[in-house]
Structure formats: structure tokens, C-alpha cells
């Protein structure tokens, strides 16, 4: 079999009847089977000030390339979001000597994913390294004229800073699937063989919602484990093999010198 | 999903685990600086809880 990769254009349409995809650059390709692996994109805060250069999401290599030169001088950084990504970036930024404050809307870090005792461990770890954690607060406005000067909270409090990094979760890229009438519900639902509601169209990784039989739930995962293993399952299913994808989810997070590893879903 | 958690080891000592249980069975384990328990956990999900299910931290 031959494999061809094409970069720099997006798939803009799917013609299910004709089994063809249409790219934004005008090219079009036929398919026997189609795999959607469109991933997620960072949830953005629709805050005033979003166009200031020091107000950045944290997702892609391009985001990091943009951020790196900004970290060459001492900065006062506000990170919005006390999830894994916000905390990992906080650890790195502290390690580089920057001043770091994390704003978290909930009452503890990693609220969505871990037990309170673990949140407490990470709060203590970050505080002991000089990160300032603020709970129960939300950013309302990013202020500045040409560059970031402060974040204003919904309480009215103003926090001076010169960089604002946003890590408040991700949303699955399901628009393409939705536009052609595939079922979509916070992810593209697939069965245990990675098939969507169209038997010729498969989906894998971050953009999917799939049955986790061991938990009796449908789930959406954002992890390398799932991206790799579900992709393999989808490839087998496309080749006509019987597959039942029911993984043991696992995940890791490195903060300072401490490695957290997670097996299963809590 | 979990109904109960068990802590193995002491956070003050730097490595510890939190096990999440439902109906006394292992749903998930968070291992902090304790890779051995993580590898055990990946093989033990769904098993009934017992004190020696995870290695001592
Ligand atoms: C900052 C950060 C840190 C992370 N850390 C960890 C970690 O420590 N451990 C872990 O397990 N996971 C981690 N993850 C999650 C992990 O990166 C994702 O689960 C994984 O990348 C998902 O792979 P994917 O292929 O589904 O999606 P993606 O990697 O998002 O790739 C989707 C691709 O599809 C392209 N695309 C979308 N729509 C179209 C279209 N219409 N036409 C053409 N192309 C399109 C996008 O441009 C993108 O390149 C992290 C994620 C982030 C953002």
C-alpha cells in the first residue's frame, strides 16, 4: 500500500454520497474509508484584550515558538487555568525564574480529574516553589495598550502582569463531521471498532467519544495513550479486522521533578 | 465515578498513591513519583481492593 501525506490545507467538505473529500485548496480525493482525526483546539476565553500579543493560548508548537522569545526577559506571568497544562507551564516558567500566578475558578487545582488529597499535594508543591495560586477567581478583562499590562478579575481586582497564558481546556473539532450530518455530541461518537454513524467513516483520538465498556460509559479522552491505541484499532477495523477498543486509559504529568502517572478513570 | 479513595504512602515522603474504588473494586490509581505502582495499577483495574494490591510507597 502507498501512503501519501499532504500538508498546508484543510479538508473543507465531505461528500458522503460520492465518497470524496474536498480540500480548501481546491483539490479533491475519493475514498473507500475515511478516518477523521481532527483533534481538539484550545477553549478560548472570549475576553476583551484577546488580540494583545502577550495573551496566548497553549496548545501547538506554533504557540510555544511564539512564547519562547517572550520568556527571554524576566516576566510577570498570569496563567488562567489550574489544570495539567496550566500547572506544567507554571512549573517550567518558575524554573526559568519568572514570577507566576495561576488563576483557577474552582476551589482547587486539577479539580476535574483528581482527589482532593492530590490537589492539595500539587498546591503545596507549587506554592513551595514560589507560584502564587488563586482559587475561586475568574479573569474578566485583559488590559493593555499594544501589550498586556494587567488582568482584571470578575471581582474587579486588577493584577499587573505582562503575559497572560490561557489553558482552560479543549473542545473537540467536530464541525466537519457535523456539517455532513454525522452524529456529534461533545465529540464524534464511534463504536468499539471506531466507526462513526456512517460505516465508511471512522474516527480516532481526541475528537471521538467512544464506549468504555469497563466503565459502562462513553468517554472522550485527551491523551497520547488514546491517540496511539485508538488509531491502531481504527486502522485494523479499516483493514477489515474485528476490533473491540476498550483501553486501560493512562496518562502522565511532569511538574518540576515529580512525575504523576494515572491508570484508569476515577 | 468513584465512591471511595485509599491513600498508600505519605505525601510528605514524596511518593504516594491514591486508589479510587467503586463497589470495593479498583477504578483508577494516581501514582506520584511511584512508577511501580502505576505499572501494577494498569494490570489490576477492576480487581477487588486489598491492602497489598499496590506496592508500598
Ligand atoms: C500542551 C499540551 C500538553 C499535553 N500533554 C500531554 C501529556 O503529558 N500526556 C498525554 O497523554 N497527553 C498530553 N496531551 C494531549 C495529547 O497531545 C493529545 O491527546 C493528542 O495530541 C491527540 O492527538 P490527535 O491526533 O487526536 O489530535 P491533534 O494532535 O490535535 O491533531 C489533530 C490534527 O488535525 C488537524 N486538523 C483538524 N481539522 C482539520 C481539517 N479539517 N483538515 C485537515 N486537518 C485538520 C489539526 O491541524 C491537527 O494537526 C497534551 C496536549 C497539549 C495541548
Amino acid at each position: 500500500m502507498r501512503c501519501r501525506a499532504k500538508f498546508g490545507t484543510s479538508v473543507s467538505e465531505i461528500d458522503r454520497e460520492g465518497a470524496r473529500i474536498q480540500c480548501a485548496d481546491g483539490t479533491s480525493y475519493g475514498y473507500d474509508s475515511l478516518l477523521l482525526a481532527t483533534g481538539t483546539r484550545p477553549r478560548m476565553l472570549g475576553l476583551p484584550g484577546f488580540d494583545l500579543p502577550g495573551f496566548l493560548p497553549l496548545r501547538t508548537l506554533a504557540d510555544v515558538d511564539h512564547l519562547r522569545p517572550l520568556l527571554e526577559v524576566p516576566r510577570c506571568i498570569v496563567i488562567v487555568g489550574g489544570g495539567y497544562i496550566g500547572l506544567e507551564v507554571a512549573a517550567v516558567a518558575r524554573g526559568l525564574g519568572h514570577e507566576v500566578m495561576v488563576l483557577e475558578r474552582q476551589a482547587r487545582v486539577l479539580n476535574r480529574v483528581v482527589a482532593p488529597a492530590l490537589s492539595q499535594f500539587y498546591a503545596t508543591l507549587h506554592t513551595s516553589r514560589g507560584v502564587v495560586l488563586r482559587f475561586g477567581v475568574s479573569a474578566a478583562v485583559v488590559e493593555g495598550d499594544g501589550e498586556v499590562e494587567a488582568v482584571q478579575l470578575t471581582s474587579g481586582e486588577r493584577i499587573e502582569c505582562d503575559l497572560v497564558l490561557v489553558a482552560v481546556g479543549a473542545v473537540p473539532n467536530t464541525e466537519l463531521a457535523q456539517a455532513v450530518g454525522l452524529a456529534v455530541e461533545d465529540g464524534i461518537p464511534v463504536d468499539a471498532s471506531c466507526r462513526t454513524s456512517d460505516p465508511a467513516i471512522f474516527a480516532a483520538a481526541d475528537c471521538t467519544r467512544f464506549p468504555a465498556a469497563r466503565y459502562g460509559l462513553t468517554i472522550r479522552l485527551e491523551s497520547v495513550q488514546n491517540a496511539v491505541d485508538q488509531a491502531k484499532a481504527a486502522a485494523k477495523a479499516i483493514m477489515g479486522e474485528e476490533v473491540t477498543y476498550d483501553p486501560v486509559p493512562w496518562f502522565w504529568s511532569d511538574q518540576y521533578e515529580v512525575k504523576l502517572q494515572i491508570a484508569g478513570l476515577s | 465515578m468513584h465512591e471511595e479513595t485509599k491513600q498508600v504512602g505519605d505525601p510528605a515522603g514524596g511518593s504516594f498513591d491514591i486508589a479510587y474504588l467503586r463497589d470495593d473494586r479498583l477504578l483508577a490509581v494516581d501514582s506520584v513519583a511511584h512508577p511501580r505502582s502505576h505499572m501494577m495499577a494498569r494490570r489490576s483495574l477492576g480487581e477487588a481492593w486489598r491492602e497489598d494490591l499496590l506496592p508500598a510507597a
Side-chain angles (χ1 to χ4, degrees):
Chain A
M1 215 187 338
R2 225 155 53 93
C3 180
R4 278 205 294 162
K6 182 175 165 110
F7 299 102
T9 187
S10 21
V11 176
S12 50
E13 275 169 59
I14 303 168
D15 167 9
R16 286 166 65 186
E17 299 260 285
R20 294 190 78 76
I21 56 157
Q22 175 73 46
C23 295
D25 67 1
T27 55
S28 131
Y29 303 89
Y31 64 81
D32 295 320
S33 300
L34 176 66
L35 175 76
L36 300 175
T38 48
T40 53
R41 61 175 177 273
R43 179 172 295 129
M44 282 311 294
L45 296 169
L47 300 185
F50 69 89
D51 50 350
L52 290 167
F55 184 16
L56 300 173
L58 294 166
R59 168 87 208 169
T60 63
L61 190 56
D63 295 334
V64 175
D65 288 341
H66 190 155
L67 180 58
R68 194 172 280 132
L70 298 175
L71 296 179
E72 277 165 11
V73 295
R75 295 283 183 178
C76 185
I77 305 173
V78 167
I79 296 174
V80 185
Y84 288 117
I85 291 173
L87 294 182
E88 288 180 10
V89 173
V92 171
R94 260 322 278 164
L96 294 171
H98 302 287
E99 276 184 56
V100 180
M101 179 185 284
V102 175
L103 305 180
E104 170 54 55
R105 189 169 54 176
Q106 303 294 332
R108 57 189 179 96
V109 295
L110 302 173
N111 173 72
R112 198 163 57 96
V113 279
V114 304
L118 204 60
S119 297
Q120 186 55 53
F121 174 81
Y122 278 98
T124 306
L125 177 64
H126 281 274
T127 306
S128 74
R129 304 299 167 98
V131 172
V132 178
L133 300 175
R134 294 283 308 269
F135 297 105
V137 293
S138 286
V141 182
V142 178
E143 295 175 5
D145 183 9
E147 49 190 282
V148 169
E149 289 165 16
V151 176
Q152 196 189 313
L153 305 183
T154 47
S155 64
E157 185 185 344
R158 191 169 177 278
I159 297 165
E160 284 187 20
C161 59
D162 44 27
L163 272 182
V164 179
L165 307 178
V166 181
V168 292
V171 284
N173 292 320
T174 54
E175 289 75 6
L176 191 59
Q178 192 155 25
V180 291
L182 294 179
V184 162
E185 35 168 304
D186 182 34
I188 303 168
V190 293
D191 65 16
S193 58
C194 312
R195 262 193 191 81
T196 67
S197 51
D198 178 333
I201 305 181
F202 296 76
D206 277 22
C207 67
T208 66
R209 173 165 288 280
F210 65 92
R214 74 180 65 239
Y215 294 102
L217 291 171
T218 69
I219 58 175
R220 188 163 72 73
L221 294 177
E222 292 165 23
S223 70
V224 169
Q225 172 276 315
N226 184 56
V228 171
D229 294 343
Q230 199 180 20
K232 287 181 186 165
K236 284 187 182 160
I238 289 169
M239 298 312 292
E241 278 184 49
E242 288 264 339
V243 287
T244 305
Y245 183 61
D246 185 21
V248 171
W250 59 269
F251 191 79
W252 75 91
S253 176
D254 294 318
Q255 296 171 43
Y256 308 99
E257 69 289 347
V258 182
K259 182 180 279 296
L260 168 66
Q261 293 166 295
I262 295 178
L265 300 176
S266 58
Chain B
M1 271 181 285
H2 64 278
E3 295 161 343
E4 197 189 345
T5 61
K6 302 266 188 203
Q7 190 168 306
V8 178
D10 179 7
S15 39
F16 67 104
D17 312 313
I18 294 181
Y20 299 81
L21 310 179
R22 185 176 61 189
D23 296 334
D24 212 38
R25 288 181 184 277
L26 197 59
L27 283 180
V29 179
D30 299 340
S31 307
V32 176
H34 200 198
R36 251 177 7 109
S37 87
H38 175 67
M39 295 317 291
M40 293 278 282
R42 277 163 61 174
R43 287 193 298 268
S44 310
L45 296 186
E47 286 187 28
W49 177 253
R50 42 174 215 276
E51 286 304 323
D52 63 350
L53 197 56
L54 298 175

